[in-house]
Amino acid sequence: MSKTILKDMEKYRDELTAIRHDIHAHPETAFEENRTADVVAARLTEWGIPIHRGLGKTGVVGTLKGKRPGQRAIALRADMDALNLQEKNTFDHRSVHDGKMHACGHDGHTTMLLGAARHLAQNPDFAGTLHFIFQPAEEGEAGARVMIEDGLFEKFPCDAVYGMHNMPGLNTGDFAIRSGPMMAASDTWTAVFRGTGGHGAMPYMGTDPTMPAAAFITATQSIIGRNINPQHAAVVSVGHIAGGAYGSPNVIPSEVTIRGTARSYTPEDRDLLARRLGEIAQGIASAHGASVEYHYLRRYPPLRNAVEQTALALKAAALTVGETRTDGDVEPLTGAEDFAFMLEKKPGAYILIGNGGSISDGSCHYVHTPHYDFNDQIILTGAAYWVNLVDVELGDAR
């Protein structure tokens, strides 16, 4: 295989673009991807690929045997779910469902993997077994973990697993990856500060929880500045503050809730963030005569690419677009991905494909924004990467 695979797949362009637009227009959020799963299942069946449905509630897995004997098996994964977000695009394939939108490109991820499945079903010139994993609920609901708990790797054993995500701001069709930490752990923390509340004109007659809450918000950044090794990366951000009633600004509330996110790349830093956030909350509450209820929820683990599989993915990317358009040492992202759960179970690699444009000059929109759209120009590029990866892993290019 090589860059010529792109020419070979040109005949699928209109069909795959139509699939992508159809999925984009009908977004479904976590564990509700029934229509999307129907589209995936129907296409795989049409192309002669046996399927299994129901893992992770709405997940679909297709299995393809190579025409040559081989013991090795690999899995390729795409996510299917959309976000709870109101789309502001005006093109014909915009969302038909208010408040739901494919704002992260999972419509494109699904289509790229379908494109690869289409080609490989007609050209199974590899040795071993290939599993196509179409996963639900990546956006915050850990669909990957649920599929694993449902027996994904017991029912579909594999030696390696691979994922891919589009990246706005990276040149159209370019690839980027790194071995080791590629994306951060994503955790959620909550601190509820409690006092007596009181009259806004007489704060001395009660305990004001807004004071420790405010001090806590500022103090959280001391963890990054003074506790985390400066050669490491970590993030603590506040995303939600609630307390009091808008219509009663003269009332000091008795309770203030603060919620946020914590991002890190190592187990040690993750433990440190969990511990220090709680210690700071307790200490500040005590100093102000208030109390605090603190919770730390570990959500997605860090996504860590295996060295061998990263090298194979990089090779497949270079076969697809050339070495000058691949980056094997991209900076880690502080975003998170539940594909990390799969990489905890199996060696593998997660690669980025450029969606094009520039964030700084406004020539493209980032993921999770109401004007984002997956770039149709990279559908065939992504599909060709998958095909070349199969050849690198199970074919003649290894």
Side-chain angles (χ1 to χ4, degrees):
M1 299 295 177
S2 68
K3 287 190 285 186
T4 60
I5 192 65
L6 280 168
K7 295 181 180 179
D8 295 340
M9 298 185 72
E10 188 64 37
K11 59 182 174 289
Y12 304 140
R13 181 179 295 278
D14 290 345
E15 178 185 9
L16 294 175
T17 300
I19 291 172
R20 208 282 290 181
H21 288 187
D22 176 67
I23 295 174
H24 186 97
H26 301 89
E28 297 171 303
T29 49
F31 300 121
E32 297 177 348
E33 306 92 342
N34 295 295
R35 184 187 185 279
T36 307
D38 287 344
V39 170
V40 169
R43 292 292 179 158
L44 294 178
T45 301
E46 176 186 341
W47 301 329
I49 299 174
I51 62 167
H52 182 283
R53 300 189 64 171
L55 289 180
K57 300 182 181 179
T58 52
V60 181
V61 181
T63 299
L64 183 64
K65 299 284 187 178
K67 67 180 182 181
R68 289 182 278 153
Q71 298 301 313
R72 189 167 177 82
I74 66 169
L76 313 179
R77 171 269 200 177
D79 36 17
M80 300 188 294
D81 58 319
L83 284 157
N84 291 295
L85 182 67
Q86 182 64 44
E87 183 162 11
K88 293 185 178 179
N89 291 311
T90 58
F91 43 62
D92 290 343
H93 62 275
R94 65 187 179 275
S95 173
V96 301
H97 300 310
D98 286 343
K100 296 182 185 294
M101 175 190 175
H102 269 293
C104 201
H106 298 185
D107 51 336
H109 302 167
T110 295
T111 304
M112 290 189 295
L113 190 54
L114 282 174
R118 176 112 164 73
H119 178 86
L120 289 164
Q122 294 183 344
N123 304 276
D125 188 22
F126 59 89
T129 303
L130 180 59
H131 301 299
F132 303 98
I133 301 173
F134 294 88
Q135 180 210 304
E138 187 279 326
E139 297 288 358
E141 297 297 330
R145 187 194 66 214
V146 176
M147 289 191 82
I148 292 168
E149 291 171 348
D150 280 355
L152 173 65
F153 293 129
E154 289 76 28
K155 290 180 172 66
F156 305 98
C158 64
D159 298 292
V161 61
Y162 293 89
M164 176 164 49
H165 201 293
N166 78 95
M167 176 54 66
L170 181 63
N171 290 337
T172 303
D174 285 5
F175 289 92
I177 195 171
R178 67 177 292 114
S179 63
M182 175 80 173
M183 301 185 78
S186 175
D187 298 331
T188 298
W189 52 265
T190 304
V192 183
F193 291 89
R194 295 190 175 95
T196 61
H199 197 297
M202 293 172 280
Y204 57 90
M205 297 186 68
T207 303
D208 182 356
T210 68
M211 296 298 293
F216 170 75
I217 292 172
T218 302
T220 58
Q221 298 311 308
S222 69
I223 303 172
I224 307 301
R226 288 295 178 266
N227 299 138
I228 296 290
N229 185 325
Q231 296 182 357
H232 296 188
V235 176
V236 174
S237 294
V238 173
H240 173 81
I241 305 172
Y246 182 83
S248 299
N250 62 336
V251 176
I252 296 173
S254 61
E255 182 174 294
V256 177
T257 298
I258 304 171
R259 302 191 75 215
T261 189
R263 306 296 171 106
S264 57
Y265 294 99
T266 69
E268 294 77 15
D269 287 345
R270 199 179 194 188
D271 290 343
L272 188 150
L273 289 172
R275 175 175 57 81
R276 288 296 292 140
L277 281 164
E279 290 173 348
I280 291 171
Q282 294 288 349
I284 289 177
S286 177
H288 286 80
S291 64
V292 65
E293 181 182 345
Y294 167 75
H295 298 285
Y296 191 95
L297 176 63
R298 296 171 189 254
R299 298 178 63 251
Y300 290 2
L303 186 150
R304 300 181 63 88
N305 285 335
V307 173
E308 179 183 355
Q309 281 66 39
T310 299
L312 295 176
L314 193 61
K315 182 177 181 179
L319 285 171
T320 306
V321 297
E323 290 184 2
T324 60
R325 296 180 59 191
T326 61
D327 180 358
D329 193 27
V330 69
E331 291 186 357
L333 301 176
T334 51
E337 239 280 1
D338 75 343
F339 186 66
F341 288 108
M342 294 191 182
L343 292 181
E344 285 187 326
K345 299 295 183 181
K346 301 290 180 179
Y350 185 82
I351 199 166
L352 302 175
I353 181 171
N355 205 53
S358 171
I359 304 298
S360 59
D361 67 13
S363 59
C364 74
H365 297 280
Y366 204 62
V367 294
H368 290 220
T369 61
H371 288 288
Y372 166 86
D373 189 34
F374 184 88
N375 188 346
D376 289 328
Q377 294 182 51
I378 66 173
I379 292 175
L380 294 186
T381 308
Y385 162 78
W386 283 133
V387 173
N388 282 324
L389 179 63
V390 172
D391 194 43
V392 167
E393 267 278 14
L394 305 176
D396 298 329
R398 187 175 175 91

